[in-house]
Amino acid sequence: MEDLPLNHPQLPALPPRAVDGHKGTYGTALLIGGSRGMAGSIALSGMAAARTGAGLVRLAVPDRCLETVASYSPCLMTIPLHEDLLGRIATRVDAFHSVVDKATCIAIGPGLGVTRELQVLLQELLQRAPCPLIVDADGLNNLAHIENWHQYCQCPVVVTPHPGEWSRLSGVPANRRDEQIAAAISFAKQHHVVVVLKGHHTVITDGRSTTINTTGTPAMATGGSGDVLTGVIAALICQGLEPRDAAHLGVYAHGKAAEHAQHKLQSHVVLPTDLIEHLARGLES
């Protein structure tokens, strides 16, 4: 990575909560995802967004998953969406546009599945979202099927791929880390998006500034950790941070939370739920 154009911007700070603040002050996170058998993913994102400080957290999920998702936490509001026969979202933005229009940040992907109907929904969100849009997990896998997807972006976009997902989006093999980083920086600069390229030392770039995160632990290498990160970044955007700054602080705090959790638990594994419980410490340090 020595020849890559990397710099290390100062870690952004989360503004203190106002004495007279209320839930409306801290934004509405709308998280879209889940499917039959994958309800936990979007629930983890929602719980992370709530713990990180979003004023309201709404989860738009397939109708058959609603009670399951709602059971994870009483802090989350759930919105049932039409589904296909396999329990995946099968609807258009018009069907829940009133919820979309009220969002401060939208995230799509955790537990979503991959279908043509979801690709149409995602393209509509790229064109119509009134706020920053985070695309993660199966959202990225659907994005890979939308030719020249960046041309549809009418809102600020944050993509959070792991190396395999970035390989599908960029064409650069997952085992060529330096080339993947270079592609992420170039793509972000050319198309005005924020890329969070996950991995050991996650890279955050908007093409103008790039930083490598140094927090985290191998103990957090478990399914669902990325879903937590999605909720964290969404909540930080809801509280007023610009998407690039929210991604930078979110990745840092996510990693610090894992470090605190591992230290407290004295375990070689940190579950996503452990991460959520330690997010407050991650944001403090």
Side-chain angles (χ1 to χ4, degrees), residues 14-247:
L14 181 64
R17 291 169 90 86
V19 174
D20 60 349
H22 52 83
K23 62 187 178 184
T25 307
Y26 304 111
T28 297
L30 172 62
L31 310 179
I32 305 169
S35 58
R36 187 170 186 270
M38 292 290 288
S41 299
I42 196 67
L44 288 168
S45 298
M47 290 189 293
R51 174 54 65 190
T52 306
L56 293 170
V57 180
R58 292 174 168 163
L59 307 185
V61 301
D63 192 8
R64 76 177 66 187
C65 297
L66 187 142
E67 285 78 12
T68 301
V69 171
S71 71
Y72 282 90
S73 172
C75 303
L76 309 174
M77 293 180 289
T78 48
I79 301 160
L81 298 180
H82 183 68
E83 62 195 15
D84 65 18
L85 294 176
L86 296 180
R88 301 168 299 196
I89 293 170
T91 192
R92 305 287 288 271
V93 168
D94 284 342
F96 62 119
H97 69 90
S98 61
V99 180
V100 169
D101 291 345
K102 293 176 182 176
T104 311
C105 180
I106 299 171
I108 182 170
L112 194 67
V114 179
T115 69
R116 177 56 187 157
E117 287 182 296
L118 286 166
Q119 290 148 29
V120 171
L121 173 62
L122 179 54
Q123 183 174 318
E124 289 180 338
L125 285 170
L126 291 170
Q127 295 172 302
R128 296 178 53 177
C131 58
L133 175 67
I134 302 169
V135 186
D136 180 40
D138 273 341
L140 297 165
N141 293 327
N142 281 291
L143 205 60
H145 291 279
I146 303 174
E147 187 174 358
N148 296 321
W149 61 266
H150 49 82
Q151 296 181 1
Y152 298 103
C153 296
Q154 299 299 312
C155 59
V157 174
V158 180
V159 294
T160 59
H162 58 56
E165 291 162 343
W166 186 237
S167 178
R168 288 187 282 278
L169 288 170
S170 69
V172 180
N175 62 353
R176 297 181 184 175
R177 183 68 175 177
D178 286 1
E179 292 179 33
Q180 283 211 329
I181 293 171
I185 295 170
S186 175
F187 187 91
K189 182 176 183 180
Q190 183 177 358
H191 300 299
H192 309 289
V193 302
V194 175
V195 179
V196 177
L197 181 56
K198 299 174 187 175
H200 178 56
H201 293 167
T202 291
V203 175
I204 305 99
T205 183
D206 61 1
R208 299 182 300 277
S209 65
T210 301
T211 193
I212 298 177
N213 184 63
T214 56
T215 64
T217 163
M220 64 195 296
T222 60
S225 292
D227 302 321
V228 172
L229 178 61
T230 297
V232 171
I233 296 173
L236 294 174
I237 292 174
C238 284
Q239 292 170 88
L241 291 185
E242 293 297 318
R244 193 251 177 260
D245 289 343

Side-chain angles (χ1 to χ4, degrees), residues 223-271:
S225 292
D227 302 321
V228 172
L229 178 61
T230 297
V232 171
I233 296 173
L236 294 174
I237 292 174
C238 284
Q239 292 170 88
L241 291 185
E242 293 297 318
R244 193 251 177 260
D245 289 343
H248 185 176
L249 178 58
V251 170
Y252 175 88
H254 184 252
K256 289 299 288 186
E259 292 175 9
H260 286 301
Q262 184 177 28
H263 178 74
K264 180 179 179 179
L265 298 170
Q266 292 295 296
S267 172
H268 71 293
V269 175
V270 172
L271 297 178

